[in-house]
């Protein structure tokens, strides 16, 4: 392999960009089929109610209505929309507690019926004609209240509404002994916010049965093969009788990792014998799809005067909402983030997953690690102040090194946290700004920082394997067939760069086919920053096999051994005599149309199963201004120093980080579901009442890409996108603490909460 890289590390154009900017890209909502019906879902107006009777008679008489279904019309199989139960090594930590349509309403927005009609207006009228008789039951909207004796039971099998108790398997040492050895012990309870994913594309699905009985589903799911299997199990179908197509995806951030309306859409399609499409409005998407998991998290840290961390302990109460979904996996990730970032001999964590009568929580970008790290990093700053040590020095004293276990217990190939902290501290002017005057009139200024360690996939918690294949065309271009969804992270483009680099052709010579279970090979789905590190490995292996065949064929033409040849920029040449060679196109065309002997379509297949999950690292620095009269926070600057191994496309990585910063600003300062605590009704169900940052709210950002190639990654690359929301939130919170001396333990840090904290102080 040549030393100088031709495509890797270059700012090449984003895959599929032209289709997106011109409007040519087809999303699920753009699917149009002959005789297609419009599906709509009727939801409960009550947070907790027994369904006594549903009268469908008026609906069935309405012209244009083709089907109305309730609990009586769907498979009586409990399931979880979460894909993880199919690939977890410990599936006993999952709970199947949901039906396609609910037999009892457990939150405002729970699904109680669905219709299919000839158009949207008729479908909406049909919903209004369905008469549901409810017996309203007492509801519980807070996880602490839900656990109390005598609280309304949401699921019969869960006493005190505790669906699962988890003891963190990575606990070690003796925390009580560790706290006893500490000179300073800090304990604090935090409440995290219920963040909506706010992806551009609302939930949607289309489904159709063909004349051969095969079912085709169009959905922006990020785990097509696993989600296909869930649908197959629900409707007693072989997987091969289902074709799942993933069109362009208008953002996911974890939302598409679980089923949403797909089972209802299939049930309506099966009932009517016609194609059906369900498209949620923005309000329906807010009320009916999973949010970020929320925690009541009690963290405890013990520190010696010299800054040595002696013990860490976390106790979680997980507000899972009405159904279990991804409670166990997000909670495990949260506990891993809290206990695994620093060297510490004594750590312990446990969690109670609790049902409440609110919308179910799921897994969003950061997937628990955001919450665990946020709690930890604020405790670290508070401990540093208590012992009179600079927060950076406390971190440097306790950070891990290469060879230490990561937050999953796997030995790390590299660890650059020390370098990232020092680069960022110098760039931001940490020492000078921490020592400066912090007040100008009513304005106070602060600077804070936080670090993070994330993952490049779910190994060893889950089974994960990736597959790809590449075939050369007669003109020297190549088709890459891979299950690499573009959910905004440009994974197909990065895979094309890897393939082009190995094959010695140009980026534009790679044509990608993805998103169809009939043509792609099995894949366990995209998530947890596994895409580039894992899928990229499969692509690299496929390209290496195709390259081997290419050079072998060229060697026959040039009468040389393959190892004497090199390929670059569409040309195969002799290493010892670079002027002598042949074009890639000549070799591939001759192999296809060979009239003198062996015919060959040059083709390579690659498969990959991880044995490691090298962590991406980051150090994040935030500068803020806090108005002590209004308690308004203005973020002046975010500096993000990132290590995700070798950078395949700098523009993509920078875009991922900048997007993660924007999401984190909202998560820290403004975003939270407002649920009426008397009625259970969601009062922030659109972008007017739910505040996400606009372009005017995003501060000045600077991204530094620190490259430390990881030996096990494709060209040294590892994950990036998943972790970009982990350290920004605590960095901002720590900057507020530096400015005004108060911790906001109930997120988001709104002016009202800051003002009240200042008043109490």
């Amino acid at each position: 392999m040549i030393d100088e890289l031709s495509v890797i590390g270059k700012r090449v154009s984003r895959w599929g960009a032209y289709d997106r900017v011109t409007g040519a890209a087809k999303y699920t909502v753009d699917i149009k089929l002959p005789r297609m019906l419009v599906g709509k879902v009727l939801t409960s107006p009550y947070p907790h109610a027994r369904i006594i009777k549903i009268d469908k008679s008026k609906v069935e008489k309405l012209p244009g209505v083709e089907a109305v279904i309730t609990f009586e019309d769907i498979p009586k199989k409990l399931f979880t929309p979460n894909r993880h139960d199919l690939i977890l090594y410990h599936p006993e930590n999952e709970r199947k507690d949901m039906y396609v349509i609910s037999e009892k309403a457990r939150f405002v927005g729970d699904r109680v019926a669905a219709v299919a009609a000839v158009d949207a207006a008729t479908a909406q009228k049909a919903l209004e004609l369905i008469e549901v008789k409810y017996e309203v039951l007492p509801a519980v909207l807070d996880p602490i209240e839900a656990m109390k004796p005598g609280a309304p039971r949401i699921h019969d099998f869960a006493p005190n509404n505790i669906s699962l108790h988890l003891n963190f398997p990575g606990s070690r040492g003796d925390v009580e002994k560790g706290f006893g050895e500490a000179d300073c012990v800090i304990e604090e309870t935090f409440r995290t916010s219920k963040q909506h994913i706010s992806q551009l594309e609302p939930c949607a699905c289309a489904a159709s049965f063909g004349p051969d009985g095969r079912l085709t589903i169009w959905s922006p799911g990020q785990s097509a093969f696993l989600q296909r299997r869930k649908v197959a199990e629900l409707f007693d179908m072989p997987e091969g009788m289902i074709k799942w197509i993933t069109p362009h995806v208008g953002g996911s951030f974890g939302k598409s990792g679980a089923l949403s309306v797909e089972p209802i859409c299939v049930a309506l399609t099966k009932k009517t014998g016609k194609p059906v499409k369900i498209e949620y409005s923005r309000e329906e998407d807010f009320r009916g799809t999973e949010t970020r998991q929320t925690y009541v998290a009690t963290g405890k840290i013990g520190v010696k005067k010299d800054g040595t961390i002696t013990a860490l302990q976390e106790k979680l109460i997980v507000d899972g909402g009405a159904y279990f979904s991804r409670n166990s996996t997000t909670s495990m990730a949260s506990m891993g983030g809290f206990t695994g970032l620093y060297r510490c001999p004594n750590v312990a964590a446990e969690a109670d997953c609790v049902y409440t009568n609110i919308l179910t929580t799921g897994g969003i970008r950061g997937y628990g690690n955001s919450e665990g790290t946020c709690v930890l990093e604020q405790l670290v700053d508070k401990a540093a102040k208590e012992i009179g040590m600079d927060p950076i020095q406390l971190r440097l004293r306790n950070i891990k090194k290469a060879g230490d276990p990561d937050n999953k217990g796997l030995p790390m190939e590299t660890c650059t946290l020390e370098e990232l902290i020092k680069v960022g501290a110098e760039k931001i002017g940490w020492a000078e700004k921490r020592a400066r005057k912090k007040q100008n009139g009513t304005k106070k200024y602060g600077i804070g920082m936080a670090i993070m360690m994330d993952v490049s996939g779910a190994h060893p918690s889950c089974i994960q394997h990736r597959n790809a294949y590449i075939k050369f065309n007669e003109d020297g271009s190549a088709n890459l067939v891979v299950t690499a969804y573009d959910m905004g992270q440009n994974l197909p483009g990065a895979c094309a760069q890897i393939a082009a680099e190995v094959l010695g052709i140009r980026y534009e010579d790679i044509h990608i086919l993805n998103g169809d279970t009939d043509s792609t090979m099995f894949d366990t789905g995209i998530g947890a920053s596994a895409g580039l590190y894992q899928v990229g490995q499969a692509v690299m292996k496929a390209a290496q096999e195709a390259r081997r065949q290419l050079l072998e064929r060229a060697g026959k033409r040039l009468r040389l051994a393959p190892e004497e040849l090199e390929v670059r920029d569409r040309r195969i040449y002799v290493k010892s005599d670079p002027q002598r060679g042949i074009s890639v196109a000549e070799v591939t065309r001759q192999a296809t149309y060979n009239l003198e002997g062996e015919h060959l379509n040059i083709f390579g297949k690659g498969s990959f199963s991880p044995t490691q999950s090298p962590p991406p690292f980051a150090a994040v620095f935030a500068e803020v201004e806090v108005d002590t009269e209004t308690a308004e926070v203005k973020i002046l600057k975010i500096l993000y120093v990132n290590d995700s191994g070798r950078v395949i496309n700098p523009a993509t990585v920078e875009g991922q980080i900048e997007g993660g910063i924007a999401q984190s600003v909202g998560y820290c300062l403004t975003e939270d579901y407002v649920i009426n605590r008397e009625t259970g009704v969601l009062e922030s169900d659109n972008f007017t009442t739910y505040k996400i940052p606009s372009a005017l709210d995003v501060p000045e950002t600077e991204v530094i890409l620190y490259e430390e190639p990881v030996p096990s990654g494709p060209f040294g690359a590892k994950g990036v996108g998943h972790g970009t929301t982990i350290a920004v939130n605590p960095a901002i919170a720590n900057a507020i603490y530096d400015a005004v001396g108060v911790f906001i333990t109930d997120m988001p840090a709104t002016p009202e909460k800051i003002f009240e904290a200042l008043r109490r102080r």
Side-chain angles (χ1 to χ4, degrees), residues 582-637:
I582 188 172
S583 72
V584 170
E586 287 181 79
V587 175
T588 55
R589 184 172 295 278
Q590 189 274 341
T592 305
Y593 297 109
N594 181 13
L595 302 179
E596 302 173 355
E598 179 188 7
H599 313 288
L600 176 68
N601 190 161
I602 299 173
F603 169 93
K605 171 188 170 296
S607 298
F608 177 76
S609 294
T611 58
Q612 299 187 65
S613 179
F617 304 103
V620 181
F621 297 79
E623 295 183 72
V624 303
E625 171 192 280
V626 183
D627 190 318
T628 55
E629 283 191 343
T630 65
E632 180 183 5
V633 175
K634 181 179 180 181
I635 303 174
L636 304 177
K637 182 175 182 177

Coordinates of all heavy atoms in Angstrom, one line a residue, residues 582-637:
I582 N -0.7 0.3 -17.1 CA -1.9 0.1 -17.9 C -3.0 0.7 -17.1 O -2.9 0.8 -15.8 CB -2.1 -1.4 -18.1 CG1 -3.3 -1.6 -19.1 CG2 -2.3 -2.1 -16.8 CD1 -3.5 -3.1 -19.5
S583 N -4.1 1.2 -17.7 CA -5.2 1.9 -16.9 C -6.0 0.8 -16.3 O -6.1 -0.3 -16.8 CB -6.0 2.7 -17.9 OG -6.8 2.0 -18.7
V584 N -6.7 1.2 -15.2 CA -7.6 0.3 -14.6 C -8.8 -0.1 -15.5 O -9.2 -1.2 -15.6 CB -8.2 1.0 -13.3 CG1 -9.4 0.1 -12.7 CG2 -7.1 1.1 -12.2
A585 N -9.2 0.9 -16.3 CA -10.3 0.6 -17.2 C -10.0 -0.4 -18.3 O -10.8 -1.3 -18.7 CB -10.8 1.9 -17.9
E586 N -8.7 -0.4 -18.7 CA -8.3 -1.4 -19.7 C -8.3 -2.8 -19.1 O -8.8 -3.7 -19.8 CB -6.8 -1.1 -20.2 CG -6.7 0.1 -21.1 CD -5.2 0.3 -21.5 OE1 -4.8 -0.4 -22.4 OE2 -4.6 1.2 -20.9
V587 N -7.9 -2.9 -17.9 CA -7.9 -4.2 -17.2 C -9.3 -4.7 -17.0 O -9.6 -5.9 -17.3 CB -7.1 -4.2 -15.9 CG1 -7.2 -5.5 -15.2 CG2 -5.7 -3.8 -16.1
T588 N -10.2 -3.9 -16.5 CA -11.6 -4.3 -16.2 C -12.4 -4.6 -17.5 O -13.2 -5.6 -17.5 CB -12.3 -3.3 -15.4 OG1 -12.3 -2.0 -16.0 CG2 -11.7 -3.1 -14.0
R589 N -12.1 -3.8 -18.5 CA -12.9 -4.1 -19.8 C -12.4 -5.4 -20.4 O -13.1 -6.2 -20.9 CB -12.7 -2.9 -20.7 CG -13.5 -3.1 -22.0 CD -13.5 -1.8 -22.9 NE -14.1 -0.7 -22.2 CZ -15.5 -0.5 -22.2 NH1 -16.2 -1.4 -22.8 NH2 -16.0 0.5 -21.6
Q590 N -11.0 -5.6 -20.4 CA -10.5 -6.8 -21.0 C -10.9 -8.0 -20.2 O -11.2 -9.1 -20.8 CB -9.0 -6.7 -21.1 CG -8.3 -7.8 -21.9 CD -8.0 -9.0 -21.0 OE1 -8.0 -9.0 -19.8 NE2 -7.8 -10.2 -21.7
A591 N -11.0 -7.9 -18.9 CA -11.5 -9.0 -18.1 C -12.9 -9.4 -18.4 O -13.3 -10.6 -18.4 CB -11.3 -8.7 -16.6
T592 N -13.7 -8.4 -18.7 CA -15.1 -8.7 -19.0 C -15.3 -9.3 -20.4 O -16.0 -10.2 -20.7 CB -16.0 -7.4 -18.8 OG1 -15.7 -6.9 -17.5 CG2 -17.4 -7.7 -19.0
Y593 N -14.7 -8.6 -21.4 CA -14.8 -9.0 -22.8 C -13.6 -9.7 -23.3 O -13.1 -9.4 -24.4 CB -15.1 -7.7 -23.6 CG -16.4 -7.0 -23.2 CD1 -16.4 -5.8 -22.6 CD2 -17.6 -7.6 -23.5 CE1 -17.6 -5.2 -22.2 CE2 -18.8 -7.0 -23.2 CZ -18.8 -5.8 -22.5 OH -19.9 -5.1 -22.2
N594 N -13.1 -10.7 -22.6 CA -11.9 -11.4 -23.0 C -12.3 -12.5 -24.0 O -13.0 -13.5 -23.7 CB -11.2 -12.0 -21.8 CG -10.0 -12.7 -22.1 OD1 -9.5 -12.6 -23.3 ND2 -9.5 -13.5 -21.2
L595 N -11.9 -12.3 -25.3 CA -12.2 -13.3 -26.3 C -11.2 -14.4 -26.4 O -11.3 -15.3 -27.2 CB -12.3 -12.6 -27.7 CG -13.4 -11.5 -27.7 CD1 -13.4 -10.9 -29.1 CD2 -14.8 -12.0 -27.3
E596 N -10.1 -14.3 -25.6 CA -9.0 -15.3 -25.7 C -8.9 -16.3 -24.6 O -8.0 -17.1 -24.6 CB -7.7 -14.5 -25.8 CG -7.7 -13.5 -27.0 CD -6.4 -12.6 -27.0 OE1 -5.7 -12.7 -26.0 OE2 -6.3 -11.9 -28.0
G597 N -9.7 -16.1 -23.5 CA -9.5 -17.0 -22.4 C -10.4 -16.7 -21.3 O -11.6 -16.6 -21.5
E598 N -9.9 -16.6 -20.0 CA -10.8 -16.5 -18.8 C -11.5 -15.2 -18.8 O -11.0 -14.1 -19.0 CB -9.8 -16.6 -17.6 CG -10.6 -16.5 -16.3 CD -9.6 -16.4 -15.1 OE1 -8.4 -16.3 -15.3 OE2 -10.1 -16.4 -14.0
H599 N -12.8 -15.3 -18.5 CA -13.7 -14.1 -18.3 C -13.8 -13.9 -16.8 O -13.9 -14.8 -16.0 CB -15.0 -14.3 -18.9 CG -15.0 -14.9 -20.3 ND1 -14.6 -14.1 -21.4 CD2 -15.3 -16.1 -20.8 CE1 -14.7 -14.8 -22.5 NE2 -15.1 -16.1 -22.2
L600 N -13.9 -12.6 -16.4 CA -13.9 -12.3 -15.0 C -14.5 -11.0 -14.7 O -14.2 -10.0 -15.4 CB -12.4 -12.3 -14.4 CG -12.3 -11.9 -13.0 CD1 -12.8 -13.0 -12.1 CD2 -10.8 -11.6 -12.6
N601 N -15.5 -11.0 -13.8 CA -16.0 -9.8 -13.2 C -15.3 -9.6 -11.9 O -15.5 -10.3 -11.0 CB -17.5 -9.9 -13.0 CG -18.2 -8.5 -12.7 OD1 -19.4 -8.3 -12.8 ND2 -17.4 -7.5 -12.2
I602 N -14.4 -8.6 -11.9 CA -13.6 -8.4 -10.7 C -14.5 -8.0 -9.5 O -15.3 -7.0 -9.6 CB -12.5 -7.4 -10.9 CG1 -11.6 -7.9 -12.1 CG2 -11.7 -7.1 -9.7 CD1 -10.6 -6.9 -12.5
F603 N -14.5 -8.7 -8.4 CA -15.5 -8.6 -7.4 C -14.8 -8.9 -6.0 O -14.0 -9.8 -5.9 CB -16.6 -9.6 -7.7 CG -17.6 -9.8 -6.5 CD1 -18.7 -9.0 -6.5 CD2 -17.4 -10.7 -5.5 CE1 -19.7 -9.2 -5.5 CE2 -18.3 -10.9 -4.5 CZ -19.4 -10.2 -4.5
G604 N -15.2 -8.2 -5.0 CA -14.7 -8.4 -3.7 C -15.7 -8.3 -2.6 O -16.6 -7.5 -2.7
K605 N -15.7 -9.3 -1.7 CA -16.6 -9.3 -0.5 C -15.9 -9.1 0.8 O -14.8 -9.7 0.9 CB -17.4 -10.6 -0.5 CG -18.3 -10.8 0.8 CD -18.9 -12.1 0.8 CE -19.5 -12.4 2.2 NZ -18.6 -12.4 3.3
G606 N -16.4 -8.3 1.7 CA -15.8 -8.2 3.0 C -16.7 -8.3 4.1 O -17.9 -7.8 4.0
S607 N -16.3 -8.9 5.2 CA -17.1 -9.0 6.4 C -16.3 -8.6 7.6 O -15.1 -8.9 7.6 CB -17.7 -10.5 6.6 OG -18.5 -10.8 5.5
F608 N -17.0 -8.1 8.6 CA -16.2 -7.6 9.8 C -17.1 -7.8 11.0 O -18.2 -7.4 11.1 CB -15.8 -6.2 9.6 CG -15.1 -5.6 10.9 CD1 -13.8 -6.0 11.1 CD2 -15.8 -4.8 11.7 CE1 -13.1 -5.5 12.2 CE2 -15.1 -4.3 12.9 CZ -13.8 -4.6 13.1
S609 N -16.5 -8.4 12.1 CA -17.1 -8.4 13.4 C -16.1 -7.9 14.4 O -14.9 -8.3 14.4 CB -17.4 -9.9 13.8 OG -18.4 -10.4 13.0
P610 N -16.4 -6.9 15.2 CA -15.4 -6.2 16.0 C -15.0 -7.0 17.2 O -15.7 -7.8 17.7 CB -16.2 -4.9 16.5 CG -17.6 -5.4 16.5 CD -17.8 -6.3 15.3
T611 N -13.8 -6.8 17.6 CA -13.2 -7.3 18.8 C -12.8 -6.2 19.7 O -12.4 -6.4 20.9 CB -12.0 -8.2 18.6 OG1 -11.0 -7.5 17.9 CG2 -12.4 -9.4 17.7
Q612 N -12.9 -5.0 19.2 CA -12.6 -3.8 20.0 C -13.6 -2.7 19.7 O -14.4 -2.8 18.8 CB -11.2 -3.3 19.7 CG -10.1 -4.3 20.0 CD -8.7 -3.7 19.8 OE1 -8.3 -2.8 20.5 NE2 -8.0 -4.3 18.8
S613 N -13.6 -1.7 20.5 CA -14.4 -0.5 20.3 C -13.6 0.7 20.7 O -13.9 1.3 21.8 CB -15.7 -0.6 21.2 OG -16.5 0.5 21.0
P614 N -12.6 1.1 19.9 CA -11.7 2.2 20.4 C -12.5 3.5 20.6 O -13.2 4.0 19.8 CB -10.8 2.3 19.2 CG -11.5 1.8 18.0 CD -12.4 0.7 18.6
P615 N -12.3 4.1 21.8 CA -13.0 5.3 22.2 C -12.5 6.5 21.4 O -11.3 6.8 21.3 CB -12.7 5.5 23.7 CG -12.1 4.2 24.1 CD -11.4 3.6 22.9
P616 N -13.5 7.3 20.9 CA -13.2 8.7 20.5 C -13.0 9.5 21.8 O -13.7 9.2 22.8 CB -14.4 9.2 19.7 CG -15.2 7.9 19.4 CD -14.9 7.0 20.5
F617 N -12.2 10.6 21.8 CA -12.0 11.4 22.9 C -12.2 12.9 22.5 O -12.1 13.2 21.4 CB -10.6 11.3 23.5 CG -10.2 9.9 23.8 CD1 -9.3 9.1 23.0 CD2 -10.6 9.3 25.0 CE1 -9.0 7.9 23.3 CE2 -10.2 8.0 25.3 CZ -9.4 7.3 24.5
A618 N -12.6 13.7 23.5 CA -12.7 15.1 23.3 C -12.5 15.9 24.6 O -12.8 15.4 25.7 CB -14.1 15.5 22.7
A619 N -12.0 17.1 24.4 CA -11.9 18.1 25.5 C -12.7 19.3 25.0 O -12.4 19.8 23.9 CB -10.5 18.4 25.9
V620 N -13.7 19.8 25.8 CA -14.5 20.9 25.3 C -14.4 22.0 26.3 O -14.4 21.8 27.5 CB -16.0 20.4 25.2 CG1 -16.9 21.6 24.8 CG2 -16.1 19.2 24.3
F621 N -14.2 23.2 25.8 CA -14.1 24.4 26.6 C -15.2 25.4 26.2 O -15.5 25.6 25.0 CB -12.7 25.1 26.3 CG -11.6 24.2 26.7 CD1 -11.1 23.2 25.9 CD2 -10.9 24.4 27.9 CE1 -10.1 22.4 26.3 CE2 -9.8 23.6 28.3 CZ -9.4 22.6 27.5
A622 N -15.8 26.0 27.2 CA -16.9 26.9 27.0 C -16.7 28.2 27.8 O -16.3 28.2 28.9 CB -18.3 26.3 27.5
E623 N -17.0 29.3 27.1 CA -17.0 30.6 27.7 C -18.4 31.2 27.8 O -19.1 31.1 26.7 CB -16.1 31.6 27.0 CG -14.6 31.2 27.0 CD -13.8 32.3 26.3 OE1 -13.6 33.4 26.8 OE2 -13.3 32.0 25.2
V624 N -18.8 31.7 28.9 CA -20.2 32.2 29.0 C -20.2 33.6 29.7 O -19.3 34.0 30.4 CB -21.1 31.2 29.8 CG1 -21.1 29.9 29.2 CG2 -20.7 31.2 31.3
E625 N -21.3 34.3 29.4 CA -21.7 35.5 30.1 C -23.0 35.3 30.7 O -24.0 34.9 30.1 CB -21.7 36.6 29.1 CG -22.3 38.0 29.6 CD -22.6 38.9 28.5 OE1 -21.6 39.6 28.0 OE2 -23.7 39.0 28.1
V626 N -23.1 35.6 32.0 CA -24.4 35.5 32.8 C -24.8 36.8 33.3 O -24.0 37.5 34.0 CB -24.3 34.5 33.9 CG1 -25.6 34.3 34.6 CG2 -23.7 33.1 33.5
D627 N -26.0 37.2 32.9 CA -26.6 38.5 33.4 C -27.2 38.2 34.8 O -28.2 37.5 34.9 CB -27.6 39.0 32.4 CG -28.0 40.5 32.8 OD1 -28.3 40.7 34.0 OD2 -28.2 41.3 31.9
T628 N -26.7 38.8 35.8 CA -27.2 38.5 37.2 C -28.5 39.1 37.5 O -29.2 38.8 38.4 CB -26.2 39.0 38.3 OG1 -25.9 40.4 38.1 CG2 -24.9 38.2 38.2
E629 N -29.0 40.1 36.6 CA -30.3 40.6 36.8 C -31.4 39.8 36.2 O -32.5 39.6 36.7 CB -30.4 42.1 36.2 CG -29.7 43.1 37.1 CD -30.0 44.5 36.6 OE1 -30.5 44.7 35.5 OE2 -29.8 45.5 37.4
T630 N -31.1 39.3 35.0 CA -32.1 38.5 34.2 C -31.8 37.0 34.3 O -32.7 36.2 33.9 CB -32.1 38.9 32.7 OG1 -30.9 38.6 32.1 CG2 -32.4 40.4 32.6
A631 N -30.6 36.6 34.7 CA -30.1 35.2 34.8 C -30.0 34.6 33.4 O -30.0 33.4 33.2 CB -31.0 34.4 35.7
E632 N -30.0 35.5 32.4 CA -29.8 35.0 31.0 C -28.4 34.5 30.8 O -27.4 35.3 31.2 CB -30.2 36.0 30.0 CG -30.1 35.6 28.6 CD -30.4 36.7 27.6 OE1 -30.7 37.8 28.0 OE2 -30.4 36.4 26.4
V633 N -28.2 33.4 30.1 CA -26.9 32.9 29.8 C -26.6 33.1 28.3 O -27.4 32.8 27.4 CB -26.7 31.4 30.1 CG1 -25.4 30.9 29.6 CG2 -26.9 31.1 31.6
K634 N -25.5 33.7 28.0 CA -25.0 33.9 26.6 C -23.7 33.1 26.5 O -22.7 33.4 27.2 CB -24.8 35.4 26.3 CG -24.3 35.6 24.9 CD -24.2 37.1 24.6 CE -23.7 37.3 23.1 NZ -23.5 38.8 22.9
I635 N -23.7 32.2 25.6 CA -22.5 31.4 25.4 C -21.6 32.2 24.4 O -22.0 32.5 23.3 CB -22.8 30.0 24.8 CG1 -23.7 29.2 25.7 CG2 -21.5 29.2 24.6 CD1 -24.2 27.9 25.2
L636 N -20.4 32.6 24.8 CA -19.5 33.4 24.0 C -18.7 32.5 23.0 O -18.5 33.0 21.9 CB -18.6 34.2 24.9 CG -19.3 35.1 25.9 CD1 -18.2 35.7 26.8 CD2 -20.2 36.1 25.2
K637 N -18.3 31.3 23.4 CA -17.5 30.5 22.5 C -17.5 29.1 23.0 O -17.5 28.8 24.2 CB -16.1 31.0 22.4 CG -15.2 30.2 21.5 CD -13.8 30.8 21.3 CE -13.0 30.0 20.3 NZ -11.7 30.6 20.0

